[in-house]
Amino acid sequence: MADNHDGNDGNADAESTGGETDDEAFARRVEEARDLIGEDATAFYVGVVREGREVDSTFAQEADDPQQEGMQALSLLASHIRLVSDEAGVDYTTVAADAVTLAEQLDESE
């Protein structure tokens, strides 16, 4: 659901990326993401879904106190919910409820 600035559908094969290898295409996309994030970012969240089920994610942040860290985490969550709801054309509460249900299902499957 994120903006895809290079027109690629996320499948990095040599044909669709103008001769780039998978590693080169991935490195290029990482560099583009770093350019978009900028140097003043204090937190980020990245998630990958494979085959519609397996979810790998990472989260990192810099903060001076626990309250600031909590607010950053909530801000990232709220931004992601807003992005998904806008993309899907549904209200925020629907996406939030669906996210809770999915999180519970993922926890049960582990």
Side-chain angles (χ1 to χ4, degrees):
M1 303 271 169
D3 291 339
N4 193 341
H5 296 284
D6 66 2
N8 190 342
D9 66 358
N11 294 322
D13 59 29
E15 281 186 340
S16 66
T17 58
E20 288 181 322
T21 66
D22 288 351
D23 289 341
E24 291 168 338
F26 180 77
R28 177 181 48 79
R29 288 194 308 268
V30 167
E31 191 59 37
E32 289 171 354
R34 285 186 178 137
D35 290 344
L36 290 172
I37 292 170
E39 293 181 20
D40 58 344
T42 57
F44 71 90
Y45 176 86
V46 178
V48 177
V49 177
R50 291 184 184 86
E51 298 177 11
R53 294 183 156 235
E54 183 180 337
V55 178
D56 293 324
S57 63
T58 187
F59 172 76
Q61 63 187 13
E62 294 177 4
D64 294 331
D65 63 70
Q67 184 175 1
Q68 184 182 6
E69 285 182 7
M71 289 304 295
Q72 286 178 343
L74 285 173
S75 294
L76 288 169
L77 176 61
S79 295
H80 188 72
I81 287 173
R82 184 183 64 217
L83 173 72
V84 171
S85 67
D86 289 347
E87 186 75 22
V90 298
D91 62 286
Y92 301 154
T93 57
T94 300
V95 173
D98 288 349
V100 168
T101 301
L102 180 58
E104 289 171 347
Q105 291 172 354
L106 290 171
D107 284 344
E108 291 170 4
S109 69
E110 292 179 358

